[in-house]
C-alpha cells in the first residue's frame, strides 16, 4: 500500500511539472490578432507554419533600382491571409511607386494583386527616398474565390512548384524599376541530403570495405582475384549514382520534384557545398561567371521579361488625371474592394508594433541567391540542378575537381593507414604476424592501384566537368586548369587501357589478325528490312549473305587456335592490371577499354552539346540503346549480381530516363502538371534502381564475408555454412566461363518392359486351298496325312495299304545336309501349284499303275514324287522337317521321316493311297535322272 501511494504521488508531481512547463512555453509564445473569413477575431501563433511560403529569391530584372535584402510572402489557410515583407534600399529620390505581387503554381497564375503602398500605410515607399531604408509589410485578407484555383493537393504534395514575383513600377516613368522572384514551397520535399544522402554514403562505404577485403585477404593471386570479381564493384555503385545525378545536365526545363530528388546524389558527383570552398573558387574565378542562359537556365541578375508570363503596362497604368504637382491620381487602378479591406484591416486590427512583431517572429523566409545562380523556381539545365545545392554553374568544375582530389588523398591515406594499423596490432600481439602477409608486403602496390582505380571510377565525372567548363566558358584560369585535367584523364586512362591490351597480346599466348565488320542485310519477320553486324572471319564461305558495306577491324585469337589458359591465371598480369580486368569474364577481359570509350561518348553528349537539348536527347538515346543491347549480348562481368545491375537495371534506367526527358523540352510547351507526373515516373524508375543497388551491396557484403572466412571450417551463423558451400561451387563454375553442364533429367518411374508391338487378332481371308481336304488335314495336324509321299500315293493302287513311315538309321544332324532351301527353321512350305500338264501326267501314271502288279513304288519314283514337296516342310506341332533330297542323293538320304515313327522297312502296308493326292512328276524325274536298277536284278 505504501508503494502504491508513493507511485501515485510521483505521477501527480510529474503531471504538475509538465503543466508548469507547458504554461511557461505558452507565456513565451508570440500571438497575433487576426480576423478570420467569418469576421471573428482570433489569436494565432506567429511561429506557426504557413500552408505555402517563399524561399530564396533573386533579381529578375538585372538592373533594378532597388536593392532588396529580404522578400518573403506566406499564405495561411487557417485564417485566409497572405503575409508579405519587403526590406531594402534605393538610390532614387522622391519616387512614388506601384507594387505588383503575383503567385504562380505549375506555370499558371493563381493569385495577383496590384496596389499603391501609400494607401496601405507603407510609409517607406510613399514616396521612396534615397537613404531611407525600405521596410514594407502587410497582412492581406483574401476570399475563398481568390485561392479557388489552388488545388488542395498543392498544400501537401512534395516540392510544390510555384513562385512569387514582386514587380515595382515608377509612377513618373511608368516603367518597371525592380523585379524579384522567389520560390514558393509547402515544406514537403524529396530533397533530404542529410538523411537519404547519408544512407547512400554509408552503403557506399560498405561496398568499398567489402571489395577491398576480398582484394587484400589471401596469398594466392588467382584465388584472391576470383573472390574479388564476385564482390560488390565500387565502379558499379558510382555508375548508378552518376547516371542518376548527371541526368540533370540535359538542357531541359526540369520539374521541381526531379531536381529535389537528384540533390540526394549530389555528393557522388562531387557537388558538395561548403561556404569556404565556394568563396575561394569565387576569388579564383573573379567576376567572369559565364552565361547561365547559354545552358538553358534563367540566370539571376539577368533580364527575364517573360517571367511569369510577363506583364502588360497598360493594365497597370490606365487613363489618369493629375491632381496636384508630383502626384498621380489612379482611379480604377486596383481592385478597390480588396484594397479597402486591406487598408482597413491594417489600420484597425493590427498596429505597427504588432506588424513588426509578426515580421520578426516569421521564420519561414529565404535569402538572396548568390551571383551566378539561376532564378529560384527555375530548374532548367545543369545550372538549375546545381542551384538546389547553391553552387553556381561557373563553379561546377572546380568544386568537383577539388573534391575529387580530396577523395584520392583519402583513398591513398586509408590504404596506407590500414597497413600501419596492422603493423601496430602485430607489434602489440593482437594480430598474428602471418595474417594479411601478402597485403602487408605489397601495400605500396595496393595504394597505387587504389588510386588508379579511383581515377578509373571518376573518369566520366571529370571528363564531363571539363567539357562542361569548355562549353560554359568563364575565366581563363579555370579553362586552363580544365584543359590540363582533361588531358591527364583522357590521355592517361586511354594510354593505360591501351597498354594493358597490348601487354596481354604481346606477352600472352594471343595474336592479333586483320578482320572486317560487315553490315549484313536481313529482314525481321520476313518483311521489315534490317541490318546487323557480323565478322567476316565468321562467315568465310557464306556466299548467300548480302552486305551493304564493311569497315576494317581486327581479331584477337589464341596462337594455338584454342584457349589453353585463362588471363586470370596469369599472376603477373593480374598484379599489373588486375584493377582494370579482374572483374570481367575470362573472354571479356578487354571490356574496360570499351567501357572507357562508352563513358567518353556519354560525357561528350551531356557536356559538349549543352544548350542543345534535342541533340543531347536523341544522341544519347541512340548511344544508350546500342550500349544496352551490346552489354546484354556481352554480359561482361564475371559476377551475376554485377551483370544484373549493369546489364539490365542500369541499362533500362538509362534508356527510359533519356526517352522520358524529351518531354521536358521547352519547345513542346508541355503543361507543368503532366511534366510533374513524368518526373514522378522517372523518380520511380531511378528509385527502384537505387533499391536494387542497395540490396546488391548487402548481398555483396555477405558474399565478401564468405570469401574472407573461406579458410575457416565454421562461420557464424552456422546456418549459412550450406549457403557458403553453394557460393564457392558457383565461383568455381563461373570462373571457367563456359556454359554450365545440363541438369540431369528428372528420374521417371520405370515401367515394365513389354513387346514392341502386339497382335490381338487376325482375320484370315478364305483361299482356294480351304476346299482341299488333304491341305486342311495337313494344316490341322493330322499325322496320317502330313507324312505321306505324293509319289507313294500315285504308285499304289486303290485299296492297298500305304507302308508306314520309316525312320532313317542315321541322326538328323547328318541328314540335315540334304536340305537345299533358305527358309528359316519352323517356316511352313506351301504345296506346289498344279497345272493341266500335271493332271495329264497323273492320268497316264494311273493307267500304268493299273497294269502293274508291283506292290511297291520304285525308289526312283519315290524320289521323283518326293521332290515336289517343298524343302524344310514341317509337320503340324512337330519339330522335325520333311526334307527334299537331291536328285543325285542315295535312297537312304531321300527317305521320308516321320517324327513319331521308328525306323522301319520300306515294305508296303495295307494303308491305301489317298485318292485326293495324285502323284506329280517333274521334268527332272522323267528325263534327266535314270531309274536305278533293283538289287534283285543286279544280283
Amino acid at each position: 500500500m505504501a508503494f502504491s501511494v508513493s507511485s501515485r504521488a510521483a505521477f501527480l508531481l510529474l503531471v504538475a511539472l509538465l503543466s508548469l512547463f507547458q504554461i511557461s512555453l505558452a507565456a513565451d509564445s508570440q500571438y497575433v490578432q487576426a480576423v478570420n473569413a467569418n469576421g471573428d477575431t482570433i489569436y494565432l501563433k506567429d511561429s506557426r507554419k504557413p500552408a505555402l511560403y517563399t524561399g530564396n529569391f533573386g533579381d529578375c530584372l538585372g538592373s533594378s533600382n532597388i536593392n532588396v535584402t529580404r522578400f518573403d510572402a506566406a499564405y495561411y489557410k487557417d485564417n485566409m491571409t497572405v503575409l508579405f515583407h519587403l526590406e531594402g534600399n534605393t538610390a532614387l529620390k522622391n519616387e512614388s511607386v506601384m507594387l505588383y505581387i503575383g503567385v504562380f503554381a505549375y506555370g499558371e497564375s493563381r493569385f495577383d494583386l496590384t496596389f499603391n503602398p501609400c494607401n496601405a500605410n507603407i510609409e517607406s515607399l510613399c514616396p521612396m527616398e534615397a537613404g531611407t531604408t525600405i521596410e514594407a509589410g502587410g497582412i492581406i485578407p483574401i476570399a475563398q474565390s481568390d485561392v479557388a484555383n489552388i488545388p488542395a493537393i498543392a498544400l501537401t504534395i512534395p516540392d510544390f512548384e510555384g513562385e512569387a514575383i514582386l514587380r515595382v513600377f515608377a509612377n513618373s516613368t511608368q516603367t518597371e524599376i525592380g523585379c524579384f522572384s522567389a520560390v514558393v514551397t509547402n515544406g514537403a520535399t524529396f530533397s533530404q541530403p542529410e538523411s537519404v544522402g547519408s544512407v547512400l554514403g554509408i552503403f557506399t562505404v560498405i561496398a568499398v570495405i567489402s571489395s577491398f577485403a576480398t582484394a587484400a585477404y589471401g596469398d594466392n593471386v588467382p584465388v584472391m582475384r576470383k573472390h574479388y570479381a564476385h564482390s560488390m564493384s565500387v565502379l558499379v555503385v558510382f555508375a548508378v549514382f552518376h547516371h542518376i545525378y548527371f541526368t540533370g545536365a540535359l538542357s531541359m526545363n526540369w520539374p521541381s520534384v526531379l531536381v529535389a530528388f537528384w540533390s540526394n546524389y549530389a555528393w557522388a558527383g562531387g557537388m558538395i557545398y561548403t561556404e569556404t570552398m565556394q568563396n575561394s573558387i569565387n576569388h579564383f574565378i573573379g567576376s567572369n561567371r559565364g552565361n547561365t542562359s547559354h545552358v538553358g537556365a534563367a540566370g539571376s541578375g539577368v533580364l527575364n521579361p517573360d517571367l511569369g508570363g510577363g506583364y502588360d503596362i497598360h493594365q497597370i497604368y490606365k487613363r489618369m488625371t493629375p491632381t496636384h504637382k508630383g502626384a498621380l491620381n489612379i482611379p480604377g487602378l486596383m481592385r478597390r474592394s480588396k484594397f479597402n479591406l486591406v487598408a482597413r484591416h491594417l489600420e484597425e486590427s493590427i498596429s505597427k508594433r504588432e506588424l513588426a512583431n509578426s515580421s520578426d517572429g516569421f521564420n519561414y523566409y529565404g535569402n538572396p541567391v548568390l551571383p551566378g545562380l539561376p532564378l529560384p523556381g527555375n530548374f532548367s539545365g545543369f545550372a538549375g540542378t546545381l542551384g538546389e545545392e547553391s553552387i553556381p554553374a561557373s563553379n561546377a568544375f572546380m568544386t568537383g575537381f577539388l573534391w575529387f582530389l580530396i577523395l584520392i588523398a583519402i583513398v591513398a591515406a586509408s590504404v596506407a593507414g590500414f597497413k600501419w594499423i596492422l603493423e601496430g596490432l602485430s607489434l602489440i600481439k593482437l594480430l598474428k604476424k602471418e595474417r594479411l602477409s601478402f597485403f602487408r608486403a605489397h601495400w605500396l602496390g595496393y595504394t597505387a592501384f587504389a588510386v588508379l582505380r579511383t581515377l578509373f571510377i571518376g573518369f566520366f565525372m571529370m571528363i564531363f566537368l571539363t567539357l562542361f567548363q569548355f562549353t560554359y566558358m568563364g575565366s581563363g584560369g579555370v579553362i586552363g586548369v580544365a584543359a590540363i585535367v582533361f588531358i591527364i584523364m583522357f590521355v592517361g586512362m586511354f594510354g593505360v587501357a591501351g597498354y594493358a591490351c597490348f601487354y596481354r597480346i604481346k606477352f600472352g599466348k594471343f595474336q592479333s589478325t586483320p578482320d572486317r565488320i560487315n553490315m549484313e542485310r536481313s529482314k525481321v519477320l520476313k518483311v521489315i528490312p534490317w541490318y546487323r553486324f557480323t565478322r567476316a572471319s565468321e562467315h568465310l564461305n557464306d556466299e548467300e549473305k548480302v552486305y551493304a558495306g564493311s569497315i576494317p577491324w581486327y581479331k584477337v585469337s589464341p596462337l594455338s587456335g584454342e584457349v589453353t589458359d585463362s588471363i586470370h591465371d596469369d599472376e603477373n598480369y593480374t598484379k599489373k592490371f588486375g584493377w582494370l580486368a579482374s572483374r570481367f569474364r575470362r573472354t571479356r577481359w578487354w571490356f574496360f577499354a570499351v567501357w572507357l570509350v562508352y563513358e567518353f561518348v556519354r560525357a561528350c553528349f551531356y557536356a559538349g552539346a549543352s544548350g542543345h537539348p534535342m541533340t543531347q536527347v536523341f544522341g544519347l538515346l541512340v548511344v544508350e540503346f546500342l550500349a544496352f543491347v551490346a552489354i546484354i549480348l556481352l554480359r561482361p562481368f564475371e559476377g551475376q549480381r554485377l551483370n544484373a545491375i549493369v546489364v539490365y537495371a542500369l541499362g533500362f534506367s538509362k534508356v527510359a530516363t533519356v526517352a522520358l526527358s524529351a518531354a521536358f523540352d521547352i519547345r513542346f510547351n508541355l503543361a507543368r502538371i503532366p511534366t510533374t507526373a513524368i518526373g514522378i515516373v522517372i523518380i520511380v524508375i531511378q528509385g527502384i534502381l537505387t533499391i536494387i543497388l542497395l540490396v546488391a551491396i548487402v548481398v555483396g557484403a555477405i558474399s565478401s564475408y564468405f570469401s574472407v572466412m573461406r579458410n575457416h571450417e565454421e562461420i557464424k551463423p552456422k546456418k549459412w555454412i550450406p549457403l557458403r558451400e553453394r557460393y564457392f561451387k558457383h565461383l568455381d563454375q563461373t570462373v571457367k566461363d563456359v556454359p554450365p553442364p545440363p541438369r540431369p533429367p528428372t528420374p521417371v518411374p520405370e515401367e515394365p518392359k513389354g513387346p514392341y508391338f502386339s497382335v490381338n487378332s487376325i482375320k484370315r481371308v478364305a483361299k482356294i486351298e480351304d476346299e482341299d481336304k488333304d491341305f486342311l488335314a495337313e494344316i490341322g495336324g493330322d499325322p496320317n496325312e502330313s507324312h505321306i509321299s505324293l509319289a507313294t500315293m500315285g504308285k499304289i493302287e486303290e485299296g492297298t495299304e500305304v507302308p508306314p513311315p520309316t525312320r532313317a538309321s542315321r541322326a538328323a544332324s547328318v541328314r540335315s545336309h540334304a536340305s537345299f532351301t533358305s527358309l528359316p527353321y519352323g517356316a511352313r512350305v506351301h504345296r506346289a501349284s498344279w497345272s493341266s500338264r500335271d493332271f495329264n501326267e497323273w492320268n497316264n501314271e494311273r493307267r500304268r499303275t493299273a497294269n502293274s502288279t508291283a506292290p511297291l513304288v520304285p525308289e526312283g519314283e519315290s524320289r521323283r514324287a518326293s521332290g515336289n514337296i517343298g524343302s524344310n516342310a514341317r509337320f503340324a506341332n512337330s519339330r522335325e522337317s520333311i526334307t527334299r533330297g537331291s536328285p543325285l542323293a542315295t535312297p537312304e538320304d531321300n527317305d521320308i521321316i516321320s517324327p513319331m515313327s521308328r525306323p522301319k522297312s520300306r515294305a508296303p502296308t495295307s494303308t491305301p493311297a489317298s485318292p485326293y493326292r495324285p502323284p506329280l512328276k517333274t521334268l527332272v524325274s522323267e528325263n534327266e535322272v535314270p531309274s536305278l536298277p533293283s538289287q534283285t536284278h543286279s544280283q
Side-chain angles (χ1 to χ4, degrees):
M1 184 67 180
F3 176 78
S4 168
V5 172
S6 60
S7 300
R8 186 179 304 171
F11 175 74
L12 294 176
L13 179 61
L14 177 62
V15 172
L17 291 175
L18 291 176
S19 301
L20 293 175
F21 182 69
Q22 183 176 3
I23 293 173
S24 63
L25 289 178
D28 294 338
S29 300
Q30 296 290 335
Y31 288 85
V32 294
Q33 184 180 3
V35 178
N36 60 13
N38 298 326
D40 300 329
T41 301
I42 59 176
Y43 293 91
L44 301 171
K45 284 186 177 182
D46 59 353
S47 59
R48 71 191 188 281
K49 183 180 179 180
L52 294 173
Y53 57 93
T54 59
N56 294 341
F57 63 91
D59 186 355
C60 52
L61 184 61
S63 58
S64 296
N65 294 323
I66 300 176
N67 181 25
V68 174
T69 58
R70 177 175 176 178
F71 166 57
D72 57 77
Y75 162 62
Y76 291 91
K77 184 181 179 181
D78 50 10
N79 62 348
M80 298 296 292
T81 57
V82 173
L83 182 147
F84 75 94
H85 299 97
L86 179 65
E87 294 181 3
N89 53 73
T90 182
L92 298 178
K93 295 182 179 180
N94 194 17
E95 182 65 45
S96 298
V97 296
M98 293 294 296
L99 300 181
Y100 165 84
I101 297 178
V103 179
F104 298 84
Y106 294 101
E108 299 181 6
S109 177
R110 306 296 181 176
F111 173 79
D112 65 274
L113 177 65
T114 304
F115 63 96
N116 188 340
C118 297
N119 296 332
N121 291 333
I122 304 177
E123 298 179 355
S124 59
L125 291 177
C126 187
M128 187 170 54
E129 294 283 348
T132 302
T133 302
I134 299 174
E135 295 181 359
I139 299 177
I140 305 174
I142 57 177
Q144 188 66 36
S145 58
D146 295 327
V147 293
N149 293 331
I150 300 178
I153 193 176
L155 306 181
T156 57
I157 187 174
D159 298 293
F160 173 78
E161 187 171 310
E163 57 183 346
I165 300 177
L166 172 65
R167 298 184 186 273
V168 182
F169 299 92
N171 293 339
S172 60
T173 59
Q174 297 186 5
T175 57
E176 184 181 19
I177 62 173
C179 177
F180 302 92
S181 174
V183 65
V184 176
T185 180
N186 57 14
T189 178
F190 283 117
S191 179
Q192 304 293 336
E194 294 81 6
S195 56
V196 178
S198 299
V199 171
L200 296 178
I202 292 173
F203 274 86
T204 303
V205 172
I206 293 174
V208 172
I209 295 175
S210 61
S211 177
F212 178 78
T214 56
Y217 179 79
D219 54 5
N220 188 320
V221 174
V223 175
M224 295 166 64
R225 187 223 61 87
K226 178 177 65 175
H227 289 273
Y228 170 76
H230 290 264
S231 63
M232 191 61 204
S233 174
V234 183
L235 170 68
V236 173
V237 174
F238 278 93
V240 172
F241 292 163
H242 287 168
H243 150 64
I244 294 175
Y245 183 70
F246 287 113
T247 301
L250 297 176
S251 299
M252 301 292 176
N253 188 14
W254 302 111
S256 58
V257 289
L258 267 180
V259 176
F261 176 75
W262 290 335
S263 65
N264 300 316
Y265 302 83
W267 63 271
M271 299 297 110
I272 304 174
Y273 177 84
T274 59
E275 185 176 358
T276 303
M277 180 181 290
Q278 294 302 313
N279 291 337
S280 301
I281 295 174
N282 291 333
H283 180 74
F284 177 70
I285 291 176
S287 60
N288 187 359
R289 299 300 181 89
N291 187 5
T292 306
S293 61
H294 179 71
V295 293
S300 178
V302 181
L303 178 62
N304 296 277
D306 297 330
L307 185 66
Y311 64 91
D312 187 0
I313 194 66
H314 299 290
Q315 295 295 327
I316 299 176
Y317 291 96
K318 297 183 179 179
R319 182 176 300 177
M320 296 170 292
T321 304
T323 55
H324 57 85
K325 183 178 180 180
L328 293 175
N329 183 19
I330 313 175
L333 178 63
M334 62 196 75
R335 303 168 185 172
R336 290 186 175 274
S337 59
K338 183 182 296 185
F339 171 74
N340 292 335
L341 179 61
V342 172
R344 184 169 61 254
H345 175 74
L346 292 177
E347 291 176 357
E348 297 177 358
S349 300
I350 302 179
S351 64
K352 293 182 180 180
R353 180 178 179 181
E354 291 174 339
L355 183 60
N357 290 337
S358 66
S359 175
D360 294 337
F362 185 73
N363 299 321
Y364 299 94
Y365 62 90
N367 299 310
V369 296
L370 300 175
L373 289 175
L375 281 176
N378 181 270
F379 307 103
S380 297
F382 191 48
T385 304
L386 291 172
E388 191 74 11
E389 308 302 319
S390 299
I391 298 176
S394 57
N395 297 14
F397 162 71
M398 289 300 302
T399 302
F401 175 60
L402 292 177
W403 281 113
F404 190 62
L405 293 179
I406 294 173
L407 176 64
I408 292 176
I410 292 175
V411 169
S414 298
V415 176
F418 180 66
K419 191 266 180 186
W420 293 113
I421 290 175
L422 294 178
E423 296 296 339
L425 294 176
S426 178
L427 289 176
I428 61 178
K429 308 299 183 180
L430 293 179
L431 182 69
K432 295 181 179 180
K433 292 183 178 181
E434 64 272 11
R435 290 292 176 87
L436 298 175
S437 58
F438 185 86
F439 167 74
R440 291 158 65 183
H442 301 82
W443 70 276
L444 289 177
Y446 272 92
T447 303
F449 292 150
V451 172
L452 291 174
R453 183 71 177 176
T454 304
L455 293 174
F456 183 67
I457 293 172
F459 177 79
F460 168 77
M461 181 188 76
M462 295 310 304
I463 292 295
F464 165 79
L465 291 176
T466 53
L467 293 178
F468 180 79
Q469 188 65 54
F470 298 154
T471 304
Y472 189 76
M473 299 304 293
S475 63
V478 176
I479 295 178
V481 175
I484 295 174
V485 174
F486 176 82
I487 294 173
I488 293 175
M489 294 297 297
F490 182 81
V491 177
M493 293 309 302
F494 276 103
V496 173
Y499 178 69
C501 296
F502 170 78
Y503 186 90
R504 177 58 180 170
I505 297 173
K506 181 68 175 179
F507 299 101
K509 298 179 181 180
F510 285 85
Q511 62 181 352
S512 177
T513 57
D515 200 354
R516 299 191 71 86
I517 297 295
N518 296 329
M519 183 182 293
E520 178 186 340
R521 293 179 181 176
S522 60
K523 290 185 179 180
V524 178
L525 300 178
K526 299 182 180 181
V527 177
I528 304 174
W530 192 253
Y531 292 90
R532 64 176 183 175
F533 295 95
T534 59
R535 287 180 177 268
S537 57
E538 297 176 356
H539 303 278
L540 295 176
N541 300 323
D542 199 348
E543 299 179 355
E544 297 181 358
K545 301 289 185 180
V546 179
Y547 300 102
S550 64
I551 58 175
W553 202 248
Y554 63 92
K555 179 182 179 181
V556 178
S557 59
L559 289 173
S560 60
E562 297 180 359
V563 179
T564 57
D565 63 337
S566 172
I567 186 175
H568 300 316
D569 294 333
D570 188 349
E571 294 188 12
N572 185 34
Y573 188 86
T574 301
K575 289 179 180 179
K576 291 179 178 293
F577 305 104
W579 59 277
L580 281 175
S582 288
R583 291 198 179 273
F584 302 116
R585 292 163 51 193
R586 173 180 60 84
T587 57
R588 303 289 187 268
W589 61 271
W590 40 261
F591 187 77
F592 57 84
V594 178
W595 182 263
L596 286 176
V597 175
Y598 165 67
E599 294 284 55
F600 177 75
V601 174
R602 289 181 63 234
C604 289
F605 277 104
Y606 273 111
S610 183
H612 305 278
M614 287 295 97
T615 303
Q616 287 180 313
V617 167
F618 290 107
L620 279 172
L621 189 60
V622 173
V623 171
E624 299 292 5
F625 179 78
L626 294 178
F628 184 42
V629 174
I631 295 178
I632 286 178
L633 297 176
L634 292 176
R635 289 182 294 110
F637 290 94
E638 188 172 306
Q640 291 184 357
R641 291 188 304 272
L642 302 182
N643 281 325
I645 296 174
V646 175
V647 174
Y648 302 108
L650 181 58
F652 172 79
S653 178
K654 287 180 177 180
V655 174
T657 300
V658 173
L660 292 173
S661 298
F664 302 137
D665 190 6
I666 57 176
R667 71 186 68 186
F668 296 143
N669 197 25
L670 187 65
R672 299 305 295 174
I673 292 180
T675 299
T676 302
I678 297 175
I680 295 294
V681 174
I682 295 178
I683 290 176
V684 171
I685 294 174
Q686 296 180 347
I688 293 175
L689 174 63
T690 303
I691 294 173
I692 293 174
L693 177 65
L694 298 184
V695 173
I697 290 175
V698 174
V699 176
I702 296 174
S703 65
S704 297
Y705 170 68
F706 291 161
S707 299
V708 172
M709 302 294 290
R710 60 182 177 266
N711 295 327
H712 295 72
E713 294 183 358
E714 293 185 358
I715 60 174
K716 295 181 180 180
K718 292 184 178 180
K719 62 181 180 180
W720 282 3
I721 295 178
L723 182 62
R724 183 182 67 167
E725 297 301 325
R726 292 200 302 268
Y727 175 67
F728 289 163
K729 291 181 181 179
H730 170 72
L731 297 189
D732 295 336
Q733 175 61 33
T734 55
V735 75
K736 300 175 184 177
D737 195 15
V738 294
R743 294 183 177 179
T746 304
V748 180
E750 190 172 337
E751 298 181 357
K753 296 181 179 180
Y756 184 73
F757 66 92
S758 61
V759 179
N760 298 326
S761 63
I762 297 176
K763 183 178 181 181
R764 185 176 182 275
V765 181
K767 296 180 174 58
I768 299 176
E769 290 85 348
D770 296 340
E771 300 176 0
D772 189 348
K773 295 181 179 181
D774 290 337
F775 178 73
L776 294 177
E778 181 179 349
I779 66 175
D782 187 356
N784 294 327
E785 296 294 337
S786 61
H787 70 275
I788 298 177
S789 170
L790 294 177
T792 303
M793 294 172 59
K795 296 295 183 178
I796 300 176
E797 297 179 354
E798 295 182 5
T800 62
E801 296 182 2
V802 178
T806 60
R807 185 177 182 89
S809 61
R810 60 184 64 183
S813 61
V814 178
R815 297 195 318 270
S816 61
H817 72 278
S819 178
F820 295 94
T821 180
S822 61
L823 291 177
Y825 177 79
R828 184 179 298 275
V829 181
H830 295 283
R831 64 184 299 173
S833 300
W834 292 356
S835 63
S836 60
R837 180 180 177 181
D838 295 329
F839 282 101
N840 292 331
E841 293 177 354
W842 179 69
N843 293 330
N844 295 332
E845 186 68 25
R846 282 178 63 86
R847 286 193 295 268
R848 287 194 300 268
T849 303
N851 296 329
S852 175
T853 60
L856 297 177
V857 179
E859 293 182 3
E861 296 295 333
S862 177
R863 182 173 63 249
R864 289 193 298 270
S866 64
N868 294 322
I869 301 176
S871 63
N872 288 342
R874 295 181 61 87
F875 294 100
N877 302 324
S878 174
R879 297 183 179 179
E880 294 292 336
S881 301
I882 300 177
T883 60
R884 183 180 63 187
S886 172
L888 302 178
T890 61
E892 290 79 8
D893 296 334
N894 293 331
D895 291 339
I896 300 173
I897 306 301
S898 172
M900 302 178 64
S901 63
R902 292 174 295 180
K904 294 182 179 180
S905 62
R906 291 191 295 273
T909 62
S910 60
T911 305
S914 176
Y916 302 102
R917 214 168 192 179
L920 300 179
K921 297 180 179 181
T922 63
L923 185 62
V924 175
S925 65
E926 291 187 351
N927 300 332
E928 297 183 5
V929 181
S931 300
L932 296 176
S934 63
Q935 295 180 359
T936 57
H937 296 288
S938 62
Q939 293 176 354

